[in-house]
Amino acid sequence: MVSHRVVHGRVVERLVDQLYDRELINNVDRGVYVEFMIEIALRAFDEEWECMPGWSEWDLQHQQSKARIEVKQSTRLQPWSEGSPRPESESNFRICPTKRYDKKMRMYVGEPQRWADLYIFAYHPESVRAVADHRLPDQWEFYPVPEYKLLPLQKTIGINPVRSKGSPCSLETLAVEATRLAVEATRLIDELPRLKAESTPS
């Protein structure tokens, strides 16, 4: 009889092969993959960073400063895509404010808001199917953007507006810039109303 440990190991191997060991990862599973990719890069720079458990309102937290990061990702090619990739102008990220999930009550409560200090927008621009590989960090662009630069009621943001708010980072340079911006944001709590007002078009 096969042991439970062996069965579990084989199931995990099958899941990894089926969901992640492929050039184009589907949208739901790709989000987790990108979060872990970024966590590895951040922890190589500062071990205080770690991924949050499921149902958390943000994805990564710096344990010393309590700085919080939300990761959003988008790609031009999807596994189910046929023909031409979608135009870059149609690539967008969901940034809608959300309620807090109460684990004891098992429901969302309170007023919707954005919970992270910093957003990292990960974008995969490769449009050639024979070249595109979501598993390769070098094919991704990473844009760290402080939350206060996002419009308060904005639900989505396109890649071009994201690019207007900052320069792309490689995975190697992301750790330094994201840590700097996230920790800096936690020190600007009293300044956030002014910063948000300055970021909002009149």
Side-chain angles (χ1 to χ4, degrees):
M1 181 176 178
V2 181
S3 71
H4 294 301
R5 184 178 297 276
V6 171
V7 170
H8 172 70
R10 290 178 179 174
V11 169
V12 170
E13 289 177 1
R14 289 283 300 278
L15 285 173
V16 171
D17 288 343
Q18 180 174 331
L19 300 179
Y20 298 108
D21 195 17
R22 53 180 58 197
E23 289 83 0
L24 302 182
I25 305 172
N26 78 60
N27 194 51
V28 175
D29 302 313
R30 189 174 61 243
V32 177
Y33 189 92
V34 173
E35 285 176 25
F36 286 172
M37 184 193 302
I38 291 174
E39 183 203 30
I40 289 170
L42 293 181
R43 285 182 60 83
F45 174 71
D46 186 342
E47 292 186 353
E48 290 288 322
W49 286 108
E50 65 178 11
C51 275
M52 300 297 290
W55 299 102
S56 297
E57 286 77 23
W58 56 93
D59 299 317
L60 294 148
Q61 181 165 307
H62 190 268
Q63 296 309 299
Q64 181 178 1
S65 69
K66 304 304 179 185
R68 300 171 294 192
I69 290 177
E70 179 78 6
V71 176
K72 297 295 182 181
Q73 54 81 31
S74 181
T75 68
R76 291 193 68 185
L77 289 173
Q78 305 285 349
W80 58 85
S81 299
E82 295 182 2
S84 301
R86 63 180 176 184
E88 283 200 335
S89 60
E90 295 181 9
S91 297
N92 57 64
F93 308 85
R94 183 173 175 81
I95 56 172
C96 184
T98 62
K99 294 183 177 181
R100 179 178 62 86
Y101 184 74
D102 189 303
K103 296 179 182 178
K104 292 183 179 180
M105 298 177 64
R106 297 185 179 181
M107 61 185 295
Y108 289 94
V109 299
E111 292 298 319
Q113 62 176 289
R114 296 197 187 101
W115 301 89
D117 305 298
L118 182 77
Y119 276 67
I120 294 179
F121 297 100
Y123 182 59
H124 195 278
E126 182 55 61
S127 61
V128 179
R129 184 171 291 271
V131 177
D133 192 330
H134 296 161
R135 301 167 299 180
L136 301 180
D138 290 348
Q139 289 192 4
W140 288 85
E141 298 173 357
F142 300 94
Y143 298 86
V145 177
E147 190 279 331
Y148 66 77
K149 290 190 175 182
L150 304 175
L151 299 180
L153 300 179
Q154 192 171 5
K155 294 183 178 180
T156 62
I157 186 170
I159 182 59
N160 290 328
V162 165
R163 284 172 170 161
S164 72
K165 298 179 184 296
S167 301
C169 297
S170 67
L171 192 62
E172 289 75 16
T173 60
L174 174 67
V176 177
E177 185 66 4
T179 298
R180 181 186 70 81
L181 289 172
V183 173
E184 179 183 83
T186 64
R187 298 170 180 166
L188 295 174
I189 298 300
D190 295 337
E191 295 293 316
L192 289 184
R194 176 181 63 80
L195 293 169
K196 284 180 177 289
E198 290 176 353
S199 298
T200 303
S202 57

